[in-house]
Amino acid sequence: MQAPVVVERALPPDRRRALDRALERYLRQRPGRASVAVYDKTTGIRYAFREHTPYMLASVAKVDILLAFLLDKQREGRRLTAYEHRLADRMIRNSDNDCAHELYMMIGGQNGLSRVLRTLGVQHTRPGPGLSWGSTRSRPSDQVKVLERLTDPSGPLSDLHRRYALKLMSSVVPEQAWGVSAAGGEALKNGWLPAHVHGGLWTINSVGRLRVRGHELLIAVLSERSPDMETGVATVEHLAQVAVSALTTRAKTTVSS
């Protein structure tokens, strides 16, 4: 039986204002800045908060690299080799940077990733210079689009590659299973970095697919300038919990910070 068509729509104005206020109140008490985007695939609702200025992705860029790499393999019409499987496995599950470097070079580096993202309609993501994939800058909504292309059964990836990507993101090592998983995690990838450009303050990011109260959601939370990793993780997790709660509870439920 064909799946029902879900019409995309915005969060109703009163609920959006309540959610905006809750997130604003929380962030006024926190160092740094942060932004959120969520797509509820069950209801078709999209929500984005504070998306004007892009963020450095750090290891979240590995999800973009994985998508481009798998699409390259499809175009070549061949399966991944055992070596390529090891590279992708360690890049996502262990967040191995050396493996990410190698896969990044395989897809053509900065130009290769830019080309794939433009083709997929991911318009506001700019890969870092040279091989600095961790310096890629993006907005949360763009990373939600990447998750859509990676996980949607009707998307550009074959069923085989889509299931493979989700398997990797659903089995990251336990010490890296923080972030959006606090809101009901299923598959995720995190990024964390004491950023030199911010004087050593921390960039903390988390993206993933969640299943919460019968809803399937794609979410990206990006942040920067936290004084330490623990503070950044706490900020990202709280934003994910508040946003997901607002989209998956009944309209009469009051969102609080």
Side-chain angles (χ1 to χ4, degrees), residues 131-249:
L131 293 177
S132 300
W133 48 264
S135 297
T136 297
R137 291 193 170 271
S138 187
R139 300 177 184 178
S141 286
D142 256 24
Q143 291 310 296
V144 167
K145 288 181 182 178
V146 169
L147 292 172
E148 286 182 71
R149 309 309 187 254
L150 194 71
T151 65
D152 192 335
S154 62
L157 283 184
S158 67
D159 286 344
L160 178 68
H161 285 151
R162 178 177 55 84
R163 289 194 300 267
Y164 177 62
L166 284 169
K167 178 182 177 182
L168 295 182
M169 294 177 66
S170 299
S171 55
V172 298
V173 293
E175 58 268 27
Q176 295 179 20
W178 43 267
V180 296
S181 59
E186 181 186 72
L188 78 158
K189 182 70 189 81
N190 297 324
W192 60 100
L193 179 72
H196 176 72
V197 295
H198 298 145
L201 296 175
W202 282 76
T203 288
I204 303 291
N205 302 321
S206 186
V207 304
R209 185 176 82 166
L210 315 180
R211 293 190 186 274
V212 181
R213 290 186 280 274
H215 295 247
E216 179 186 349
L217 306 106
L218 304 176
I219 181 169
V221 186
L222 307 182
S223 76
E224 64 180 25
R225 303 175 190 265
S226 289
D228 50 58
M229 183 173 177
E230 292 75 15
T231 300
V233 169
T235 297
V236 165
E237 291 186 340
H238 187 83
L239 295 180
Q241 289 171 323
V242 172
V244 167
S245 177
L247 268 67
T248 59
T249 54

Side-chain angles (χ1 to χ4, degrees), residues 4-189:
V5 176
V6 178
V7 178
E8 291 188 14
R9 56 198 177 96
L11 196 64
D14 57 337
R15 293 174 62 192
R16 180 183 181 89
R17 287 191 294 269
L19 179 52
D20 285 349
R21 287 194 298 267
L23 297 177
E24 290 283 3
R25 282 196 301 270
Y26 177 72
L27 287 175
R28 279 199 294 269
Q29 308 165 29
R30 308 294 292 180
R33 71 183 186 98
S35 300
V36 187
V38 190
Y39 174 37
D40 185 338
K41 296 185 69 176
T42 303
T43 63
I45 288 177
R46 289 186 186 269
Y47 171 79
F49 173 78
R50 283 190 177 181
E51 284 217 294
H52 301 298
T53 306
Y55 294 77
M56 184 166 58
L57 288 184
S59 283
V60 161
K62 292 167 182 172
V63 178
D64 300 50
I65 294 171
L66 178 65
L67 175 59
F69 174 68
L70 293 177
L71 285 172
D72 272 356
K73 297 307 104 180
Q74 281 184 198
R75 282 191 291 270
E76 294 171 5
R78 68 171 181 84
R79 291 177 177 268
L80 276 65
T81 66
Y83 179 62
E84 289 168 340
H85 271 293
R86 285 196 296 274
L87 290 177
D89 184 295
R90 290 190 58 80
M91 178 179 73
I92 298 299
R93 286 175 164 159
N94 300 86
S95 206
D96 187 291
N97 290 336
D98 291 336
C99 293
H101 280 305
E102 190 152 354
L103 288 173
Y104 194 53
M105 288 188 287
M106 286 183 184
I107 66 172
Q110 180 182 14
N111 292 334
L113 183 57
S114 291
R115 182 174 59 254
V116 170
L117 294 177
R118 284 197 305 271
T119 299
L120 296 175
V122 181
Q123 301 292 338
H124 303 289
T125 298
R126 301 290 179 266
L131 293 177
S132 300
W133 48 264
S135 297
T136 297
R137 291 193 170 271
S138 187
R139 300 177 184 178
S141 286
D142 256 24
Q143 291 310 296
V144 167
K145 288 181 182 178
V146 169
L147 292 172
E148 286 182 71
R149 309 309 187 254
L150 194 71
T151 65
D152 192 335
S154 62
L157 283 184
S158 67
D159 286 344
L160 178 68
H161 285 151
R162 178 177 55 84
R163 289 194 300 267
Y164 177 62
L166 284 169
K167 178 182 177 182
L168 295 182
M169 294 177 66
S170 299
S171 55
V172 298
V173 293
E175 58 268 27
Q176 295 179 20
W178 43 267
V180 296
S181 59
E186 181 186 72
L188 78 158
K189 182 70 189 81

